[in-house]
């Protein structure tokens, strides 16, 4: 499953979405720190994360996973 999500991150997300996911989700940096590192406002970071998650969820759904399976991945 991790390989599938990683492939989607690499193939389907924009560069900024990918970078925000890396810093925030994978490295655990707070949104304020990510915003400072990327020279943007924290609200923009939240929006990028939201859009990235929606893209990942949509792609996983297209690949046949149910909503409950998708939620279990992100818990």
């Amino acid at each position: 499953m991790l390989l599938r999500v990683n492939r989607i991150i690499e193939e389907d997300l924009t560069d900024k979405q990918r970078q925000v996911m890396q810093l925030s989700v994978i490295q655990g940096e707070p949104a304020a720190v990510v915003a400072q590192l990327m020279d943007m406002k924290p609200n923009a970071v939240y929006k990028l994360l939201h859009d990235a998650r929606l893209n990942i969820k949509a792609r996983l759904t297209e690949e046949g996973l149910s909503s409950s399976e998708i939620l279990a991945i992100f818990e």
Side-chain angles (χ1 to χ4, degrees):
M1 186 58 64
L2 289 175
L3 291 174
R4 186 183 260 180
V5 172
N6 189 53
R7 177 183 45 78
I8 292 169
I9 289 171
E10 291 299 319
E11 293 176 1
D12 292 357
L13 299 185
T14 66
D15 290 337
K16 282 190 176 186
Q17 287 174 337
R18 195 174 309 113
Q19 188 175 2
V20 166
M21 289 289 288
Q22 175 68 34
L23 291 169
S24 183
V25 177
I26 297 170
Q27 294 180 14
E29 296 291 345
V33 172
V34 175
Q36 187 176 24
L37 289 171
M38 294 183 66
D39 193 31
M40 61 177 54
K41 295 182 181 187
N43 286 345
V45 171
Y46 289 119
K47 177 67 170 142
L48 284 169
L49 282 172
H50 175 74
D51 291 347
R53 288 182 178 120
L54 287 178
N55 289 342
I56 293 168
K57 181 181 175 186
R59 183 64 186 272
L60 288 171
T61 301
E62 287 174 10
E63 293 182 8
L65 291 171
S66 70
S67 294
S68 60
E69 290 170 317
I70 294 169
L71 287 174
I73 294 167
F74 293 102
E75 289 181 344

